[in-house]
Amino acid sequence: MNRFILIAGSLLAGLGVALGAFGAHGLRNVLGPAELGWWNTAVQYQMWHATGLLALGAWRLPNAGLAAVLLVLGTLIFSGSLYVMALSGWRVLGMITPIGGTLMIAGWLLLAWRGLCG
């Protein structure tokens, strides 16, 4: 499972750098301020969670698999919905974004619980 966590964190981080650069250079004259804000929020949360996954994978905490899966899924849903919303203007996707946020919160809380319970 640690290998999955490290791979997921690495892929999310690499993609986050690429999407951040794309937003800064390719979209700054295309999207409006609100859409660029959504894009930047997506990149920021993606990178923070990628970094957390890399630390979690390196730490090798036992029983962290479910927490890692929740963090990955949450990041994909949260950031992914914001990316698509920024590019498409489909504001209805804003209803999906909190699901990703909730999964990320659940992942961190589960990780804290696993840490407390040893």
Side-chain angles (χ1 to χ4, degrees), residues 2-98:
N2 287 325
R3 187 173 182 188
F4 162 78
I5 297 170
L6 287 170
I7 291 169
S10 297
L11 291 174
L12 284 174
L15 185 59
V17 171
L19 290 170
F22 179 63
H25 301 291
L27 296 176
R28 68 177 167 192
N29 295 324
V30 177
L31 299 180
E35 291 81 9
L36 279 176
W38 299 334
W39 190 273
N40 290 332
T41 298
V43 170
Q44 183 179 31
Y45 275 74
Q46 181 174 334
M47 290 302 294
W48 279 114
H49 285 82
T51 303
L53 285 164
L54 289 170
L56 181 58
W59 187 12
R60 299 181 181 270
L61 181 69
N63 299 321
L66 179 57
V69 169
L70 290 171
L71 292 173
V72 170
L73 288 176
T75 303
L76 292 174
I77 294 169
F78 181 89
S79 293
S81 65
L82 289 176
Y83 291 133
V84 173
M85 196 167 75
L87 292 175
S88 69
W90 296 341
R91 290 182 175 261
V92 70
L93 291 175
M95 292 187 295
I96 296 170
T97 307

